[in-house]
Amino acid sequence: MIINHPLLGPRDSAEFVYMGDAALIDRPDPDTASPEDWHDYAYLRDNPAGEHRELWFHEGGDRSWLVVTRNTVTHEISKVELARDVARARGRST
Amino acid sequence: MTQPNRLNGGLIDHETRLKFIFDGKDYYGHPGDTLASALLANGVRLMGRSFKYHRPRGPLTAGSEEPNALVELRGGNRQEPNTRATTAELYDGLFAKSQNRFPSLAFDAMAINDRFSNFLTAGFYYKTFMWPAAFWEKIYEPIIRKAAGLGALSMRADPDEYDKGFRHCDLLITGAGPSGLMAALTAGRGGAEVILADEDFEMGGRLNAETLAINDAPARDWVVAALAELSSLPNVRLMPRTTVIGAFDHGIYGAVERVSDHLKTPAEGKPRQILWRIYTQKTLLCAGATERPIAFENNDRPGIMLASALRTYANRFAATPARRVAVFTNNDDGHRTARDLHAQGVKIAAVVDTRPDAQSSSDYEVLKGAQVIDSKGRLGLTFAEVKLADGSTRTIECGALGVSGGWNPNVHLTCHQRGRPTWNDDLAAFVPGDTLPPGLSVAGAANGSFSTHGALKSGAEAAKKALGLKGRLPKTPQAEDAPVSQTPFWYVEGCARAWLDQQNDVTVKDVKLSHQEGFRSVEHLKRYTTLGMATDQGKTSNLGGLAIMAELAGKSIPEVGTTIFRPPYTPVPIGTFGGRMRGMEFHPTRLTPSHFWAKERGAVFVEVGNWLRAQWFPIEGETHWRQSVDREVRQTRASVGVCDCTTLGKIDVQGTDAATFLNKIYCNGFAKLAVGKTRYGLMLREDGIAMDDGTAGRLAEDHFVVTTTTANAIKVYQHMEFVRQCLFPDLDVQLISTTEAWAQYAVAGPNSRKLLQKIVDPAFDISNDAFPFMACGNITVCGGLRARLFRISFSGELAFEIAVPSRYGDALMRKLMSEGEEFDVIPYGTEALGVMRIEKGHAAGNELNGTTTALNLGMGRMVSKAKDSIGSKLSERDGLNEDDALKQVGIKPLNPAEKITAGGHLMAADGPVDASHDQGYVTSAAFSPTLDHMIGLGFLKNGGDRLGEKMRLVSPVTDLTVEVEIVSAHFVDPEGERLRA
Amino acid sequence: MRYSGFKVIKEALTGHKGWQPAWRDPQPKSHYDIIIIGGGGHGLATAHYLASIYGETNVAVIEKGWIGGGNVGRNTTIIRSNYLLDGNEPFYEFSLKLWEGLEQDVNYNAMVSQRGIMNLIHSDAQRDAFIRRGNAMMLNGADAELLDEDQIRAEYPFLNFNDARFPIKGGLAQRRGGTVRHDAVAWGYARSADSRGVDIIQNCEVTGFRIENGTCLGVETSKGFIGAKRIGCAVAGNSGRVMGMAGMRLPIESHVLQAFVSEGLKPVLPGVITFGAGHFYVSQSDKGGLVFGGDLDGYNSYAQRGNLPVVEDVCEGGMAIMPMIGRARLLRMWGGIMDMSMDGSPIIDRTHIDGLYFNGGWCYGGFKATPASGYAFAHLLARDEPHETATAYRFDRFRTGHMIDEKGMGNQPNLH
């Protein structure tokens, strides 16, 4: 597969390490979240057959975490973003 | 030596003789021959035996789709089983043996199976061999396994080298027949970067095997001119002997180039084969078509082959399997074979055409509306039995029979991303479907354009379209444009032992039985009968089986299904996929800066991940590793030792929020760590399990240095970047791995300070008051070399870790050794390191095994409740905090002479020994030179409250039971006085 | 119809006219006591044990394609019970015992071949871990054997003892491990279940669940609604898709695992070998093909196909440990969809919906578990309580912190 890195252009996926669903960015608020929230965050997955937003780490490159939107049936990649930008857009800060 | 069946002409060099040996007999052939064509020219039709019935077999084809003519090529450790004689290029000195026969190819004792074929039908083995139960493994299976397989491996390491490479292009064209060449000319002239790959050693595809004309000249002339032009274009790369094996995601294609297979041995420094990963914008599949046979009784005898193969042997290779041949066809293409062989002076016994309205010939007899219903000849065809239109039968004497049932487009690559081909009624064949791999298009016969003109034209058009070229197409050369219609004719009525899959011995009868027993989908048919699972992957057999199943089921062929084609297109040596990553090059080897110094000292090295680390340093007189390790431990504890700990992960953490960040990463607090101090830290995974431990030293308000274990260095860095970028993106903190930037050494033992004081520049006071336990700082050594010093101890002794830029690592080690002579300094390796940390009760990889918690490790109270950190919340789950949770303990044998084994399990002193009475396990064990007996660390249920308890350590797998006492994990200096000294 | 050598001979002499379809092709009834979704190994085994052990014969197995077309038909055929943890080892040992009597139980020769499995050891830490595992196996009544380098050399002289990057230092063997003819497992269970009255309904895709007031009443399918008192889902890699129709999110991700087979070769490998320092395991089938595999591709996928980097990685491992296979040719590669769970261990449990039960999360270890999985799932469906060997395989273990994490990799499925 080829991942079109937003900063570096198309790179072979072998340079990357995969982690999983980009929902892992949405870590529960430690002050308000219930144990159930933590369970769901850490253990439950949508696991869609189709479009999937997922985290890839450019270990053999610039060490960016990326959010790749990829179809799990066709493997087609429709979007690649810096995870940091996605995290900020989802309201994460410090 | 003569070649009785050698014809004139062809693309072979008749002037040059190449000697070869097949089954111990000498022959010769010519450059341009394959092993199969040379054998045929020499009058040899019998080249192999089938898998199950050991039926005599000769080549069915002249290409890579060959199921029958498989040989063991080359000898010694280069022996290549199952090599297709039909694609093996002849070279001088070629050596080949037939396979799957005993004692000889002509007399194969296993051919007895053929007599019992009625018992050995499809799937018979699923129904028997079950009683008595023990007999399967003891009696039946060994017999079956002995008969397994075709060719044999040498059992010795492959001596050849393989390589891998990467290529990029705008257009990859697979197949250099008329459509591929035309596409390459079009794209090449249009300026695109083009790769044209063909599995054959001679580009040209069918044009090399036909007597067709292009622009009123022999087609080969056009091929030669096209190749000459393409070779002259700098933007076109021709890759003969290169098979595109698979279409992978995002325009990545695998291709195998057979660099040296046409040579006796690879040239010096050259690989045998190269696996190319080709990255392309567009791909044009011009893979042509494969002729399909017609099934009839005993259609598998040597001499019976595809009509197109017969023609290829005659036209391209100037060889014929016999001087008197017949053709069995249901279409016009079969007549082409007859014409060409007749023109070569081969006697055409008859053309048997299933069509009542077939064309006639003045040169030979055409039997219209006739069918071949049987054949004769023990080791090769002698007679074909023909049923004529009027129902009478006639026996035709012939040494070869060309069979043509029409052509199937080679759609394989279009299916590699799970696209399905679609059925074309006009061609009675599958053609590429709608869902092709992105960027791939198809031209020529592979797309159902079977005429030469059609192939040429579609190649040009497809290239233009794929690349979006502007301007006019090159003029399509003149060539035949006969309309092609194919009417299905799959098998001769009434046949039973009519072979579909010749290698695996799957007959029409087997398909019928499969249907009868309910294995009716294509996947069940394939798996139950093994149809299409041989080395040719059913290239000539799948459709026939499918067609018969469709007929039996009263369905259309597409309703029964299509077979899924999977990579590779043709089989690929495992060595080719392995490339250079074998032997010592399997993984990269990481060496520390003082590796060569350690080597000079005679160190014994051990693999730690990709690192090599000194395990111990034997000195003269030491004959057992324990002597070395015990000495290193004693000497370190008595005076001073130095250990290379460069391999520990080092991560530089900088920024105004560095402390805040570490507070998230570590479960214990770091915000209040003073500048110039180091702290032990435990990292949890988000699921609350311990991930790694290490230290973090604060060199400045906004600057920390984190160390990780060697094993987890990469994983921890990745995790920290995740936390930084994905969870807390606005923290002002930057990370960089500096593992390889700093060489780091532990200097341990009561004299460690004295030693270091000799090299640390005088401006830096490292006395106990100025530089106490857990201090850290930037210093200089040896007169101005920048260094970092940490007063931390893994050994439990007064100890420091000193880091210098990597390029000074070797020099620093040598300096420490020379300056330390007065203290009898010694280097110590990972074994002594391990012994000392076990003596001290420090957890390491064996304890941080991915299932243990801070609580298990005896650090439950370190998990701060006052702040949020990764893993703190999920570490609170009940299951991780049970009353009898495992706790780290020390273990010692009641009898000091007895052994402690890591991996042993802990049981009560009395009572049963089984899983339900398991109390814990031993993680680490070592002989303690300090205590003079073995000691261990382990996890024991509620271990913290059980110190002093007598238990049994059991290790049935090493046949050991030892009475042990549970003790504190801190065997040495539990109060920590030494390290604070 | 009973299969036997006698029957084979009789049919051979009478033109094979007497063979009947191995299973019927029934239309679905409107209602069953139990429906099993998924005609793979686990679903069919469940049906067999429901009928043969628990007397439940008003049962349907619903399969969207052809039975045995999923992972049971595309795995590397290994059976073993060399597990470490309490939650796993008794279950897998139960499975191995069922394998040992399978053929007589279902009257079908699935070629259970206890050729042994050898896990190679390459470091001291690995040896420590394997000793602990071997002990756990033996304490659970399974067999295990620790071999040193010399013993490995004697048994496997063709391994790389010359220039191995990670030298072989020993191995942990389980002699009772081995291989099974995988397709025959599905067919054997199907035929047995069918003969006991179970309806096997192929080409019938579940399109939804009918759930009212928290109770599952049946399934909507491409052949209409089919009602049932209890419904069990055993669809491996498709677990997320199917249970999603019941509104459930699972602790599972679907990943692709590739597998490979070489051309047929005369016998070279005695049993299963796994290379502990690379990603490679291999055995040789009764037909002669080397059947081998390695790691997951590593990304979520439902595509049943993978990519070149893992193909190369696996073959590199093979060449590193066994350089004699360099000239054997890789014939075919394929991918299966693995239901990778969050701790690498499976789930056989009720759901929060009454009448709906789940079996999944087998990761890439599902094949060896087939008999015990079927047995335990049948027990759960028939008795509404977990089988004694499967009590740990609960959904709520992640909530309570009772993960069964053999590899210690945590909640990242592609690392298990």
Side-chain angles (χ1 to χ4, degrees):
Chain A
M1 294 199 291
I2 295 171
I3 293 173
N4 193 5
H5 192 299
L7 303 176
L8 302 174
R11 310 299 310 172
D12 194 293
S13 63
E15 295 175 3
F16 295 81
V17 175
Y18 180 86
M19 185 153 82
D21 195 317
L24 288 166
I25 291 173
D26 301 323
R27 185 170 184 264
D29 183 336
D31 296 329
T32 60
S34 67
E36 199 62 17
D37 294 333
W38 281 101
H39 166 263
D40 293 358
Y41 166 75
Y43 292 105
L44 298 188
R45 299 286 182 267
D46 288 341
N47 194 25
E51 214 161 76
H52 187 231
R53 302 239 293 162
E54 58 200 25
L55 287 160
W56 293 75
F57 179 57
H58 200 193
E59 185 160 278
D62 74 341
R63 298 163 279 136
S64 289
W65 277 93
L66 304 180
V67 173
V68 176
T69 306
R70 189 181 57 93
N71 187 306
T72 59
V73 177
T74 65
H75 295 172
E76 185 193 6
I77 291 175
S78 52
K79 197 174 184 183
V80 184
E81 303 154 273
L82 289 176
R84 191 172 203 161
D85 294 343
V86 173
R88 283 179 176 137
R90 291 194 199 185
R92 301 208 68 88
S93 179
T94 58
Chain B
M1 289 197 302
T2 56
Q3 300 180 90
N5 287 335
R6 181 65 77 184
L7 306 174
N8 295 321
L11 303 185
I12 62 167
D13 171 9
H14 290 270
E15 301 307 312
T16 308
R17 288 186 168 196
L18 302 176
K19 282 192 261 180
F20 70 99
I21 298 172
F22 178 64
D23 272 349
K25 215 174 147 194
D26 290 324
Y27 300 95
Y28 72 85
H30 303 291
D33 261 326
T34 62
L35 175 58
S37 70
L39 282 170
L40 290 174
N42 279 280
V44 178
R45 291 176 299 174
L46 176 64
M47 297 184 198
R49 290 273 174 172
S50 67
F51 176 69
K52 188 156 83 171
Y53 301 138
H54 290 252
R55 300 261 298 188
R57 291 291 161 75
L60 176 70
T61 75
S64 64
E65 67 273 31
E66 177 58 33
N68 286 340
L70 307 184
V71 300
E72 283 170 6
L73 189 68
R74 304 173 209 269
N77 52 4
R78 287 197 165 84
Q79 180 166 310
E80 278 163 47
N82 307 333
T83 303
R84 293 173 298 262
T86 53
T87 58
E89 275 183 78
L90 197 67
Y91 55 84
D92 198 44
L94 181 147
F95 173 89
K97 282 185 303 191
S98 59
Q99 51 186 34
N100 200 37
R101 81 287 184 273
F102 177 82
S104 73
L105 188 56
F107 179 79
D108 180 359
M110 290 294 281
I112 190 85
N113 284 1
D114 197 36
R115 301 287 178 86
F116 291 102
S117 63
N118 234 357
F119 300 89
L120 310 182
T121 50
F124 77 96
Y125 30 77
Y126 298 129
K127 299 167 182 164
T128 181
F129 303 140
M130 289 180 272
W131 300 270
F135 271 39
W136 168 250
E137 273 163 357
K138 292 203 171 66
I139 311 279
Y140 306 128
E141 192 183 35
I143 295 170
I144 289 174
R145 278 185 88 82
K146 207 158 170 243
L150 293 166
L153 289 173
S154 71
M155 303 300 282
R156 289 150 66 190
D158 186 348
D160 286 343
E161 290 186 349
Y162 299 86
D163 217 336
K164 293 183 189 177
F166 300 83
R167 281 189 173 154
H168 300 76
C169 60
D170 300 323
L171 182 67
L172 167 66
I173 302 168
T174 71
S179 57
L181 287 171
M182 203 60 204
L185 286 170
T186 308
R189 289 170 189 165
E193 293 288 332
V194 177
I195 291 176
L196 176 62
D198 196 293
E199 62 175 352
D200 205 324
F201 54 91
E202 195 67 64
M203 288 191 158
R206 280 306 301 170
L207 296 180
N208 291 336
E210 304 289 4
T211 51
L212 299 163
I214 293 181
N215 291 338
D216 296 325
R220 177 66 193 170
D221 292 355
W222 182 82
V223 171
V224 169
L227 289 172
E229 181 182 343
L230 291 170
S231 303
S232 73
L233 294 174
N235 53 324
V236 175
R237 185 189 291 275
L238 301 180
M239 297 180 73
R241 299 190 177 99
T242 302
T243 307
V244 177
I245 56 162
F248 298 93
D249 280 317
H250 306 163
I252 301 174
Y253 288 77
V256 173
E257 182 179 2
R258 288 174 296 281
V259 178
S260 307
D261 279 358
H262 59 297
L263 305 172
K264 193 166 183 181
T265 54
E268 182 65 33
K270 290 285 186 188
R272 178 184 167 214
Q273 301 190 348
I274 299 174
L275 176 70
W276 293 103
R277 254 194 248 176
I278 300 176
Y279 296 72
T280 182
Q281 300 295 318
K282 301 286 179 185
T283 303
L284 192 53
L285 180 67
C286 300
T290 301
E291 197 167 25
R292 59 199 193 201
I294 298 171
F296 58 89
E297 200 76 10
N298 292 309
N299 61 334
D300 62 328
R301 296 192 198 281
I304 300 176
M305 59 175 65
L306 293 170
S308 61
L310 199 55
R311 194 157 84 228
T312 301
Y313 285 119
N315 290 338
R316 173 174 169 184
F317 296 109
T320 180
R323 289 288 172 176
R324 185 181 168 85
V325 308
V327 170
F328 179 28
T329 185
N330 75 333
N331 65 81
D332 291 347
D333 202 64
H335 294 259
R336 194 181 273 175
T337 299
R339 276 200 304 276
D340 286 359
L341 270 87
H342 174 77
Q344 281 266 37
V346 176
K347 172 70 184 166
I348 306 299
V351 173
V352 182
D353 195 319
T354 61
R355 300 169 299 176
D357 58 345
Q359 54 184 289
S360 297
S361 167
S362 55
D363 294 326
Y364 43 80
E365 188 178 13
V366 177
L367 302 173
K368 302 176 187 180
Q371 299 174 8
V372 177
I373 56 169
D374 204 351
S375 75
K376 297 220 164 25
R378 200 174 69 85
L379 296 175
L381 181 69
T382 53
F383 295 97
E385 195 84 8
V386 178
K387 187 176 158 199
L388 300 173
D390 64 4
S392 64
T393 57
R394 187 167 136 190
T395 303
I396 294 175
E397 185 179 2
C398 53
L401 176 70
V403 184
S404 177
W407 293 78
N408 290 327
N410 289 332
V411 300
H412 305 70
L413 250 62
T414 69
C415 304
H416 282 181
Q417 295 180 21
R418 305 203 41 94
R420 298 294 172 99
T422 55
W423 183 254
N424 179 312
D425 269 327
D426 294 336
L427 298 176
F430 283 110
V431 296
D434 302 329
T435 46
L436 301 175
L440 182 134
S441 49
V442 194
N447 207 27
S449 302
F450 284 161
S451 78
T452 310
H453 174 82
L456 292 165
K457 187 156 182 279
S458 73
E461 285 172 355
K464 182 180 174 191
K465 192 172 168 203
L467 294 168
L469 297 176
K470 302 280 183 262
R472 286 172 51 193
L473 284 174
K475 194 169 167 233
T476 306
Q478 277 183 331
E480 61 84 23
D481 194 17
V484 176
S485 83
Q486 298 186 155
T487 316
F489 191 93
W490 307 108
Y491 69 104
V492 170
E493 201 71 39
C495 67
R497 295 201 81 202
W499 269 258
L500 296 164
D501 186 321
Q502 297 214 1
Q503 189 181 125
N504 273 354
D505 281 320
V506 181
T507 65
V508 171
K509 195 173 72 173
D510 294 314
V511 176
K512 289 179 172 170
L513 183 64
S514 175
H515 176 263
Q516 185 182 334
E517 298 197 73
F519 295 90
R520 294 173 188 176
S521 79
V522 61
E523 285 298 314
H524 285 166
L525 169 66
K526 187 181 84 176
R527 289 150 190 268
Y528 195 60
T529 64
T530 73
L531 173 78
M533 298 181 86
T535 60
D536 58 303
Q537 292 281 285
K539 289 192 177 72
T540 56
S541 62
N542 279 342
L543 192 59
L546 206 56
I548 293 164
M549 181 59 77
E551 187 180 298
L552 293 168
K555 292 179 176 175
S556 69
I557 289 173
E559 278 177 320
V560 172
T562 58
T563 52
I564 295 172
F565 297 104
R566 291 185 178 277
Y569 177 67
T570 51
V572 176
I574 293 171
T576 307
F577 282 119
R580 291 174 180 238
M581 310 284 272
R582 55 185 282 198
M584 291 305 287
E585 270 70 56
F586 171 55
H587 274 199
T589 304
R590 300 174 78 181
L591 304 178
T592 67
S594 47
H595 177 83
F596 295 99
W597 168 85
K599 214 169 163 184
E600 285 167 25
R601 289 283 292 225
V604 172
F605 293 95
V606 63
E607 303 77 23
V608 181
N610 283 340
W611 290 101
L612 278 187
R613 296 188 71 178
Q615 198 170 11
W616 61 84
F617 294 82
I619 59 171
E620 214 175 314
E622 290 175 348
T623 54
H624 188 277
W625 64 272
R626 265 279 310 284
Q627 295 170 312
S628 311
V629 173
D630 290 358
R631 171 183 52 77
E632 289 170 16
V633 171
R634 288 196 180 106
Q635 184 62 9
T636 300
R637 294 216 185 281
S639 177
V640 58
V642 181
C643 183
D644 183 351
C645 53
T646 302
T647 61
L648 291 178
K650 307 178 207 70
I651 300 168
D652 227 54
V653 181
Q654 298 196 38
T656 54
D657 292 327
T660 313
F661 177 73
L662 291 186
N663 245 0
K664 305 281 187 194
I665 292 291
Y666 287 114
C667 69
N668 49 322
F670 270 82
K672 292 181 187 131
L673 184 66
V675 173
K677 289 288 181 192
T678 303
R679 183 171 286 173
Y680 175 83
L682 182 66
M683 280 181 206
L684 306 182
R685 298 190 309 233
E686 190 70 277
D687 67 355
I689 305 292
M691 176 159 89
D692 197 56
D693 69 347
T695 59
R698 192 166 199 169
L699 293 178
E701 198 59 37
D702 59 355
H703 185 190
F704 289 79
V705 175
V706 165
T707 63
T708 75
T709 60
T710 300
N712 289 330
I714 292 169
K715 179 82 193 152
V716 167
Y717 182 77
Q718 177 190 326
H719 169 73
M720 287 170 67
E721 284 289 6
F722 170 77
V723 174
R724 185 180 77 92
Q725 295 175 41
C726 299
L727 301 184
F728 306 104
D730 289 334
L731 285 182
D732 176 25
V733 60
Q734 299 292 332
L735 311 175
I736 194 159
S737 168
T738 59
T739 303
E740 282 153 337
W742 296 88
Q744 194 155 317
Y745 300 88
V747 183
N751 286 322
S752 56
R753 185 186 293 116
K754 287 184 196 153
L755 171 54
L756 280 174
Q757 276 168 335
K758 291 179 71 177
I759 64 160
V760 171
D761 290 342
F764 300 95
D765 181 359
I766 60 168
S767 68
N768 201 27
D769 291 337
F771 204 80
F773 182 56
M774 297 310 272
C776 70
N778 288 310
I779 58 165
T780 60
V781 298
C782 304
L785 173 64
R786 70 195 173 99
R788 289 170 175 175
L789 190 66
F790 306 86
R791 190 167 159 197
I792 52 181
S793 175
F794 201 44
S795 57
E797 296 300 321
L798 166 65
F800 299 80
E801 287 187 15
I802 180 165
V804 292
S806 290
R807 62 185 179 279
Y808 295 102
D810 180 88
L812 179 69
M813 192 52 156
R814 290 175 197 275
K815 185 80 175 166
L816 287 167
M817 287 299 123
S818 58
E819 295 294 335
E821 268 172 29
E822 63 176 291
F823 310 111
D824 293 326
V825 66
I826 48 109
Y828 64 94
T830 55
E831 284 299 321
L833 177 83
V835 170
M836 287 191 278
R837 72 98 189 162
I838 294 169
E839 288 180 333
K840 186 64 187 167
H842 281 310
N846 281 16
E847 287 73 36
L848 295 160
N849 61 19
T851 64
T852 47
T853 61
L855 181 74
N856 299 147
L857 292 162
M859 296 186 258
R861 266 170 294 179
M862 268 178 72
V863 184
S864 168
K865 307 277 182 193
K867 60 157 189 170
D868 168 45
S869 66
I870 302 295
S872 64
K873 281 293 188 296
L874 283 163
S875 75
E876 291 168 9
R877 286 176 289 174
D878 291 345
L880 302 178
N881 295 281
E882 285 167 344
D883 290 341
D884 66 347
L886 294 170
K887 297 275 177 58
Q888 187 175 320
V889 294
I891 296 141
K892 68 173 195 186
L894 289 186
N895 173 354
E898 288 202 293
K899 189 175 176 183
I900 302 287
T901 298
H905 290 236
L906 296 169
M907 302 278 167
D910 304 301
V913 172
D914 59 33
S916 63
H917 294 81
D918 205 348
Q919 301 278 302
Y921 60 98
V922 182
T923 50
S924 300
F927 177 82
S928 166
T930 315
L931 303 173
D932 210 27
H933 59 74
M934 286 201 76
I935 57 173
L937 299 179
F939 291 109
L940 177 65
K941 284 180 180 172
N942 195 21
D945 293 342
R946 297 171 71 171
L947 302 188
E949 189 173 326
K950 309 282 189 291
M951 298 193 76
R952 276 174 298 172
L953 184 163
V954 299
S955 178
V957 81
T958 56
D959 200 19
L960 185 82
T961 302
V962 184
E963 293 182 304
V964 297
E965 184 184 341
I966 304 305
V967 295
S968 158
H970 309 292
F971 292 94
V972 170
D973 187 28
E975 306 304 321
E977 285 165 13
R978 295 187 193 180
L979 43 81
R980 290 188 176 81
Chain C
M1 185 202 304
R2 269 195 82 71
Y3 287 160
S4 67
F6 174 73
K7 174 79 177 158
V8 168
I9 292 167
K10 181 169 168 249
E11 286 298 326
L13 298 173
T14 57
H16 295 285
K17 297 210 166 40
W19 298 119
Q20 300 292 317
W23 49 84
R24 296 164 297 126
D25 191 16
Q27 285 303 305
K29 295 190 275 185
S30 62
H31 194 274
Y32 290 90
D33 289 341
I34 297 172
I35 286 175
I36 298 150
I37 306 170
H42 292 223
L44 293 166
T46 305
H48 162 79
Y49 292 113
L50 273 172
S52 66
I53 303 292
Y54 296 97
E56 298 276 1
T57 56
N58 187 19
V59 173
V61 176
I62 298 178
E63 165 57 45
K64 79 171 172 187
W66 301 95
I67 61 165
N71 292 346
V72 74
R74 56 181 73 239
N75 60 76
T76 45
T77 79
I78 296 167
I79 60 169
R80 57 185 172 89
S81 69
N82 52 358
Y83 280 75
L84 169 69
L85 299 177
D86 289 345
N88 278 331
E89 181 57 21
F91 175 84
Y92 285 99
E93 177 56 20
F94 177 53
S95 203
L96 194 51
K97 289 205 171 75
L98 289 172
W99 283 119
E100 287 169 334
L102 177 77
E103 288 144 343
Q104 289 67 37
D105 184 16
V106 299
N107 180 227
Y108 206 87
N109 185 2
M111 304 179 204
V112 175
S113 177
Q114 294 180 286
R115 323 190 58 75
I117 178 165
M118 173 67 63
N119 295 291
L120 297 174
I121 293 171
H122 304 269
S123 71
D124 291 345
Q126 209 172 24
R127 185 187 292 109
D128 294 348
F130 275 147
I131 290 174
R132 181 183 165 210
R133 175 185 302 250
N135 286 329
M137 291 161 65
M138 294 179 78
L139 292 170
N140 276 289
D143 67 303
E145 199 180 317
L146 190 75
L147 281 78
D148 64 21
E149 186 196 329
D150 290 339
Q151 289 168 299
I152 299 285
R153 196 187 285 264
E155 269 190 57
Y156 306 93
F158 50 82
L159 296 177
N160 186 358
F161 295 99
N162 293 332
D163 64 347
R165 174 72 179 79
F166 300 104
I168 297 165
K169 295 184 175 169
L172 180 68
Q174 184 177 34
R175 304 290 183 189
R176 285 164 61 243
T179 57
V180 180
R181 171 81 185 98
H182 56 349
D183 293 320
V185 175
W187 300 338
Y189 276 127
R191 183 169 164 275
S192 170
D194 173 88
S195 73
R196 290 172 160 93
V198 172
D199 283 354
I200 295 167
I201 302 163
Q202 303 185 90
N203 297 303
C204 180
E205 183 170 4
V206 170
T207 55
F209 292 92
R210 189 175 290 179
I211 299 166
E212 286 174 14
N213 301 322
T215 301
C216 188
L217 304 176
V219 287
E220 308 287 351
T221 77
S222 54
K223 296 190 175 183
F225 174 76
I226 310 173
K229 291 181 200 158
R230 276 153 288 159
I231 294 161
C233 177
V235 297
N238 284 304
S239 293
R241 278 205 253 204
V242 174
M243 297 309 281
M245 290 189 260
M248 285 183 72
R249 295 171 80 218
L250 301 176
I252 287 173
E253 287 179 6
S254 295
H255 283 260
V256 61
L257 178 70
Q258 300 192 66
F260 311 89
V261 66
S262 78
E263 296 179 342
L265 301 163
K266 290 294 173 201
V268 290
L269 299 184
V272 184
I273 300 171
T274 77
F275 175 27
H279 308 129
F280 181 75
Y281 53 88
V282 64
S283 65
Q284 188 171 20
S285 77
D286 281 350
K287 274 196 74 198
L290 301 177
V291 182
F292 58 103
D295 253 3
L296 296 171
D297 267 44
Y299 42 81
N300 285 49
S301 176
Y302 285 90
Q304 288 192 324
R305 61 183 180 82
N307 278 293
L308 271 179
V310 168
V311 181
E312 295 175 34
D313 185 64
V314 170
C315 292
E316 286 160 9
M319 287 300 289
I321 198 68
M322 212 181 283
M324 68 140 179
I325 61 173
R327 302 181 98 83
R329 294 189 195 88
L330 188 156
L331 176 62
R332 193 172 162 90
M333 53 178 83
W334 65 93
I337 313 173
M338 306 296 115
D339 36 337
M340 299 301 300
S341 72
M342 285 289 162
D343 60 357
S345 295
I347 294 160
I348 303 176
D349 201 1
R350 303 180 191 99
T351 68
H352 67 284
I353 300 163
D354 283 344
L356 183 59
Y357 299 78
F358 178 75
N359 173 323
W362 293 100
C363 302
Y364 40 73
F367 179 69
K368 74 179 90 68
T370 305
S373 167
Y375 204 113
F377 202 33
H379 186 96
L380 177 68
L381 286 163
R383 301 271 172 83
D384 202 29
E385 62 186 28
H387 186 261
E388 59 178 348
T389 62
T391 52
Y393 296 154
R394 308 294 296 272
F395 273 115
D396 68 1
R397 67 177 185 264
F398 303 108
R399 197 167 276 115
T400 60
H402 291 91
M403 290 76 72
I404 315 165
D405 189 348
E406 288 273 333
K407 281 192 175 176
M409 289 299 174
N411 58 331
Q412 191 175 327
N414 66 341
L415 300 180
H416 290 295

